[in-house]
Amino acid sequence: MVNYRWAMALLGSMMLAFMACDPTELPEPTDGDPVFRLEGNLDSAAFELAAGVDNYFMFTELSPTNDGNLQSLSRLEELDCSTDCAPGWQFEFSGSIAALDSLLGIGQVPFIQPGTFITDTTYTLNLTANSIHSGGAPVLSHQWAFYDGSTAVTSTVEKEIPGPGAYEVELTTLTEGDCQSYTRKSFSFNTVQQGCEVSFTIDTTILFDSLIVATYDQGGGAEQLIWQDSIIGQPGATFSFFPPQGAGQFTLCLEGFFQGGCNAASCQTILFEQAAVCRNRIDGGIETTINTVVVPGPSSGVVIRYQDEQGNLYSTATGSQASAFNFTIESAEPYENNSLGQPTLQLGIRFQCQLYDEAGAPWKTAEGTGTIAVAIPD
């Protein structure tokens, strides 16, 4: 809701500002005793400023911002100077009326600074079920089982994983004619343990003789092979099996054990009457996607600015502040109205910050203590 009382008050304040030379100047110190002062260090160089000394004065102004909030600007600068001015400091507090009321009390005030960029990497298993039936029978179903107990029944799966590591996947495929095949395979990314898989080929030209001849497919790097849960084989060897008499089909399985503890398995089913074999394979792997997310900085808080003798402006708002840097209000007391008729507070402050140039390059660190004035809502 628009605060019309504040809108009228600020409009009146701006009219007074236009009519006066520098109406935001606070009254001069009494008896030469500076009320407002600032001292500290820019890197290792000390500074000390005081209102009423060397033509320095404290200026305050409260004005609306384009987003409907308020901005309270406090300046300790040389009076009526436009060029070749002495160095000066500005403290700008921004926020809603409620936010300013909270900010301008005793305690820490957040720095307003640019948003931060967070890089988020997503790891995904992108897999495809590849089913082969030497007789051309169509696939009836796929059943996936994953490392975390989840399952899927589609021919392709996309599953997000927590991050780098090794992940085991199982695939069971059923084709027409009740022919079932099975593959267990491990995928790895950026980890000591490597992924692994095994596969073998059955000679379909001699199946009518009820003899199964299977050869391990080279290239898997298995340290040990076990056929049918008990028969130890060697990589590259061909094995012959005689299935039970009268069997219409027979399932042959091979398990491989690899360096690092990884193991994989493959099972194929032979249909003797059709002289056909069904097998499956898991294609795909782990894919990474890098996303950059911008996290906005605080929308209310303080900005510190410093202007040097050459007119160069440095600010806390064009770069990030380390967690050790802070702005603290140590005391807050009502003070006189400024020339705009706006009430002010007298603040005791302490700060540490990193100043940046207008391009966002780090310049110098600053630390200081002192007393400043800020204009506040009625």
Side-chain angles (χ1 to χ4, degrees):
M1 180 180 293
V2 177
N3 192 322
Y4 293 101
R5 180 171 66 87
W6 262 108
M8 293 301 294
L10 290 173
L11 177 61
S13 298
M14 288 186 282
M15 291 178 63
L16 285 172
F18 178 77
M19 296 169 62
C21 177
D22 202 337
T24 55
E25 175 190 343
L26 289 172
E28 294 189 28
T30 302
D31 299 327
D33 181 21
V35 176
F36 305 109
R37 56 169 61 88
L38 197 64
E39 61 183 31
N41 295 283
L42 268 174
D43 280 351
S44 58
F47 64 85
E48 184 175 358
L49 312 176
V53 178
D54 296 330
N55 210 33
Y56 276 97
F57 282 83
M58 173 63 65
F59 306 94
T60 63
E61 182 178 5
L62 183 69
S63 58
T65 60
N66 292 333
D67 58 5
N69 288 326
L70 295 177
Q71 179 184 88
S72 183
L73 180 61
S74 174
R75 299 182 290 133
L76 185 56
E77 298 175 342
E78 187 177 357
L79 179 65
D80 295 333
C81 182
S82 58
T83 59
D84 298 325
C85 301
W89 289 86
Q90 297 181 8
F91 301 90
E92 179 183 287
F93 300 87
S94 299
S96 63
I97 294 178
L100 276 183
D101 184 58
S102 175
L103 288 175
L104 298 177
I106 295 175
Q108 289 198 356
V109 180
F111 287 104
I112 293 179
Q113 51 191 316
T116 55
F117 293 86
I118 298 178
T119 300
D120 176 49
T121 303
T122 302
Y123 303 87
T124 307
L125 275 170
N126 284 320
L127 307 176
T128 300
N130 191 325
S131 178
I132 301 169
H133 188 291
S134 61
V139 173
L140 297 179
S141 67
H142 295 294
Q143 180 69 48
W144 298 87
F146 298 99
Y147 62 94
D148 58 358
S150 61
T151 60
V153 295
T154 54
S155 59
T156 61
V157 293
E158 183 174 312
K159 179 177 177 60
E160 187 171 330
I161 57 178
Y167 300 92
E168 189 175 86
V169 180
E170 296 175 279
L171 172 64
T172 302
T173 303
L174 181 65
T175 57
E176 192 174 85
D178 198 29
C179 195
Q180 184 171 286
S181 53
Y182 169 85
T183 295
R184 184 177 74 245
K185 181 177 179 179
S186 181
F187 296 86
S188 69
F189 179 81
N190 197 24
T191 183
V192 175
Q193 182 175 325
Q194 299 299 310
C196 59
E197 65 176 322
V198 293
S199 64
F200 59 95
T201 302
I202 295 175
D203 186 351
T204 58
T205 63
I206 57 174
L207 291 178
F208 285 112
D209 298 327
S210 297
L211 175 67
I212 302 172
V213 178
T215 304
Y216 169 70
D217 295 335
Q218 297 278 355
E223 292 187 325
Q224 186 181 46
L225 298 175
I226 296 181
W227 298 88
Q228 297 300 90
D229 296 326
S230 60
I231 303 173
I232 298 177
Q234 296 298 322
T238 298
F239 291 87
S240 299
F241 298 89
F242 294 93
Q245 292 292 322
Q249 65 179 41
F250 182 80
T251 300
L252 179 63
C253 293
L254 172 65
E255 188 172 12
F257 296 86
F258 298 77
Q259 186 176 7
C262 188
N263 66 82
S266 176
C267 295
Q268 303 178 28
T269 298
I270 303 98
L271 304 176
F272 292 104
E273 293 183 1
Q274 303 175 31
V277 174
C278 63
R279 60 187 294 185
N280 66 10
R281 185 178 72 234
I282 301 174
D283 294 334
I286 298 174
E287 297 182 4
T288 60
T289 304
I290 299 177
N291 304 303
T292 301
V293 180
V294 180
V295 179
S299 59
S300 61
V302 64
V303 174
I304 302 176
R305 297 188 182 91
Y306 174 81
Q307 184 169 296
D308 65 14
E309 297 91 333
Q310 290 75 41
N312 299 311
L313 193 63
Y314 304 94
S315 169
T316 58
T318 50
S320 61
Q321 299 296 314
S323 59
F325 293 152
N326 59 79
F327 186 99
T328 304
I329 297 177
E330 297 182 328
S331 63
E333 299 178 1
Y335 194 66
E336 304 173 16
N337 287 3
N338 63 17
S339 298
L340 293 172
Q342 298 169 337
T344 66
L345 286 177
Q346 178 179 317
L347 302 181
I349 64 168
R350 181 181 299 275
F351 64 88
Q352 289 180 300
C353 66
Q354 171 70 58
L355 294 172
Y356 296 83
D357 65 18
E358 294 181 89
W363 184 57
K364 295 180 179 181
T365 58
E367 60 178 359
T369 61
T371 304
I372 64 170
V374 292
I376 60 173
D378 279 333

